[in-house]
């Protein structure tokens, strides 16, 4: 990559370094061992970075770190935190070429999916990253993940919410955390990585939205706040789940449910009570989306009668969406539309690359 790529012509007559905004929300990357347990400690990450020459390399863009208060271990994140991050990015959109969200790995797939829907018409890269071992340890994955994210956010025009981890850049609304311990913690089973980093950086440009459908980097995205994300839920089916349990979950205020079914989207069709509970809920206007428990592959409600029974009960297909993407997409659609038929149609359409099919 030529050095000039790290710079761009600003205001038409002088070259300046690219600028990246880092929203530091918490997570393992900046944690410290306190009384034998890792905890996020304010300013600890910045102190380590300031003392580490790797973060002052001439090829890196200029970056600003905004530390959130409190720094969160990501299981403590809520949709209010997604709003905070999305607003922060919009507030600084004009001043930076790209954005990094430093985030704990546990709920990073949910946050990345949520922001993909909340930031509509994004024209600059937003890259979520974190690490499995904190930067303070001699052997860690924090340094590589952060440095690679800085280079990608500054120099590669990939205008979407992404997630970078262990040499791969993924589409944010396609990722799942697949490993609690390994460096290769994330995967995107139904979508190729957007980029792979080895000796060189290879971008899969065929997956990146082409010009002229791509939003211009100069036009800020429209921010859609999630108005009542708590009205959406997810339930993983298991053999013997009673209709009573399902009925309880489907009570108001629930307005949308991601039902994680077996295989190609199947559930028992020999329990009339179970199907009646589902049909009554969909008749009341509850949107129930059928997503598979399998990591790879798609829901096909026409394949087996155990699937078509669900379609007859009013469920819609989640196709090959991850449960994380489906949950946040449904919360987003319930925030921007009132009409259940429109929500169902949009839920089955490809809005941000979250399911396989042409983007609308
Ligand atoms: N519990 C941590 C978190 O999600 C794990 C990590 O960052 O890897 O914040």
């Amino acid at each position: 990559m030529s050095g000039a790529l790290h710079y761009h012509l600003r205001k038409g007559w002088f070259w300046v370094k690219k600028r990246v905004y880092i929203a530091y929300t918490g997570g393992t990357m900046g944690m410290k061992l306190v009384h034998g347990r890792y905890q996020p400690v304010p300013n600890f990450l910045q102190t380590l970075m300031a003392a580490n020459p790797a973060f002052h390399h001439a090829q890196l863009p200029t970056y600003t770190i905004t530390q959130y208060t409190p720094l969160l271990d990501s299981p403590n994140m809520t949709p209010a935190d997604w709003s905070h991050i999305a607003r922060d990015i919009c507030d600084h959109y004009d001043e930076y070429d790209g954005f990094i969200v430093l985030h704990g790995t546990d709920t990073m797939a949910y946050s990345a999916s949520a922001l993909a829907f909340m930031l509509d018409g994004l024209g600059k890269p937003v890259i979520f990253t974190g690490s499995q071992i904190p930067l303070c340890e001699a052997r860690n994955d924090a340094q590589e993940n952060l440095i690679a994210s800085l280079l990608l956010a500054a120099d590669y025009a990939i205008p979407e919410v992404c997630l970078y981890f262990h040499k791969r850049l993924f589409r944010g609304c396609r990722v799942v955390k697949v490993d609690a311990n390994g460096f290769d913690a994330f995967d995107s089973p139904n979508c190729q990585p957007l980029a792979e980093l080895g000796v060189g950086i290879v971008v899969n440009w065929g997956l990146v939205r082409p010009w002229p459908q791509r939003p211009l980097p100069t036009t800020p995205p429209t921010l859609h706040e999630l108005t009542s994300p708590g009205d959406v839920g997810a339930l993983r089916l298991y053999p013997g789940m009673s209709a009573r349990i399902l009925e309880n979950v489907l009570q108001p205020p629930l307005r949308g449910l991601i039902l994680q079914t077996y295989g190609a989207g199947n559930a028992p069709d020999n329990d009339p009570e179970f199907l009646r509970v589902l049909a009554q809920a969909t008749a009341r206007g509850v949107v129930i989306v059928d997503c598979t428990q399998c990591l790879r592959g798609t829901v096909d409600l026409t394949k087996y009668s155990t699937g078509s029974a669900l379609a007859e009960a009013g469920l819609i297909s989640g196709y090959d969406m991850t449960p994380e993407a489906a949950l946040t997409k449904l919360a987003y659609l319930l925030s921007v539309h009132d009409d259940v038929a429109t929500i169902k149609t949009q839920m089955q359409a490809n809005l941000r690359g979250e399911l396989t099919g042409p983007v609308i």
Side-chain angles (χ1 to χ4, degrees):
M1 186 196 321
S2 99
L5 271 178
H6 306 298
Y7 294 82
H8 62 171
L9 209 51
R10 197 176 274 256
K11 299 199 186 344
W13 58 277
F14 63 99
W15 291 94
V16 291
K17 268 197 149 192
K18 297 266 186 81
R19 290 157 56 97
V20 172
Y21 183 82
I22 303 178
Y24 174 31
T25 71
T28 293
M29 185 175 277
M31 287 192 188
K32 188 178 184 180
L33 213 49
V34 182
H35 306 305
R37 290 203 170 80
Y38 283 126
Q39 279 178 22
V41 171
N43 303 319
F44 185 55
L45 179 71
Q46 297 89 316
T47 307
L48 292 170
M49 287 172 71
N52 183 340
F55 290 103
H56 305 286
H57 197 288
Q59 286 174 351
L60 290 183
T62 303
Y63 53 87
T64 307
I65 305 179
T66 295
Q67 176 174 279
Y68 285 20
T69 306
L71 288 171
L72 289 176
D73 196 322
S74 77
N76 290 324
M77 286 243 171
T78 67
D81 298 298
W82 304 338
S83 284
H84 183 180
I85 302 167
R87 263 187 261 121
D88 192 16
I89 290 169
C90 290
D91 288 347
H92 295 92
Y93 197 76
D94 294 339
E95 303 155 57
Y96 294 89
D97 300 289
F99 299 84
I100 292 177
V101 182
L102 293 184
H103 195 292
T105 57
D106 289 346
T107 63
M108 188 156 28
Y110 289 92
S111 300
S113 292
L115 261 76
F117 297 109
M118 294 168 77
L119 298 174
D120 193 358
L122 187 65
K124 296 180 181 180
V126 171
I127 302 178
F128 278 75
T129 195
S131 68
Q132 293 278 51
I133 300 184
L135 188 62
C136 63
E137 301 293 346
R139 203 177 59 85
N140 70 74
D141 55 337
Q143 180 168 320
E144 197 279 328
N145 284 349
L146 182 48
I147 285 184
S149 298
L150 278 165
L151 294 171
L152 289 163
D155 295 333
Y156 290 83
I158 301 175
E160 51 181 289
V161 177
C162 312
L163 187 152
Y164 180 80
F165 222 86
H166 195 54
K167 302 181 176 56
R168 292 187 292 173
L169 182 74
F170 300 105
R171 174 163 290 149
C173 53
R174 287 289 199 153
V175 283
V176 279
K177 185 173 178 183
V178 292
D179 195 332
N181 311 115
F183 287 147
D184 224 348
F186 288 90
D187 203 356
S188 166
N190 285 320
C191 182
Q192 292 291 308
L194 296 173
E196 296 194 65
L197 280 67
V199 172
I201 295 182
V202 181
V203 178
N204 189 346
W205 288 111
L207 276 180
V208 179
R209 195 183 278 208
W211 303 103
Q213 293 106 304
R214 175 189 286 215
L216 284 175
T218 44
T219 311
T222 304
L223 170 58
H224 299 289
E225 298 276 4
L226 305 184
T227 51
S228 44
D231 296 355
V232 178
L235 183 66
R236 186 180 167 97
L237 198 61
Y238 50 87
M241 180 191 285
S242 73
R244 279 287 301 282
I245 289 203
L246 185 63
E247 194 164 29
N248 284 340
V249 170
L250 287 165
Q251 291 310 304
L254 195 89
R255 295 167 63 211
L257 181 74
I258 308 306
L259 187 65
Q260 289 181 253
T261 57
Y262 311 122
N266 305 313
D269 67 347
N270 60 356
D271 180 350
E273 193 54 14
F274 191 86
L275 293 172
R276 181 193 62 76
V277 164
L278 288 172
Q280 278 182 346
T282 58
R284 287 200 315 267
V286 178
V287 180
I288 309 181
V289 184
D290 184 341
C291 282
T292 176
Q293 295 179 9
C294 297
L295 259 187
R296 187 169 288 111
T298 188
V299 165
D300 178 356
L301 295 179
T302 63
K303 201 167 174 186
Y304 296 96
S305 50
T306 45
S308 59
L310 296 180
E312 279 158 30
L315 273 68
I316 55 170
S317 175
Y319 296 106
D320 61 351
M321 277 186 284
T322 64
E324 290 88 337
L327 184 84
T328 53
K329 181 180 182 180
L330 190 50
Y332 155 73
L333 290 174
L334 286 164
S335 305
V336 294
H337 299 290
D338 292 324
D339 173 46
V340 170
T342 309
I343 292 168
K344 285 184 169 179
T345 309
Q346 293 274 303
M347 195 66 207
Q348 295 172 97
N350 186 4
L351 306 182
R352 308 277 194 271
E354 74 281 5
L355 57 83
T356 303
V359 178
I360 60 163

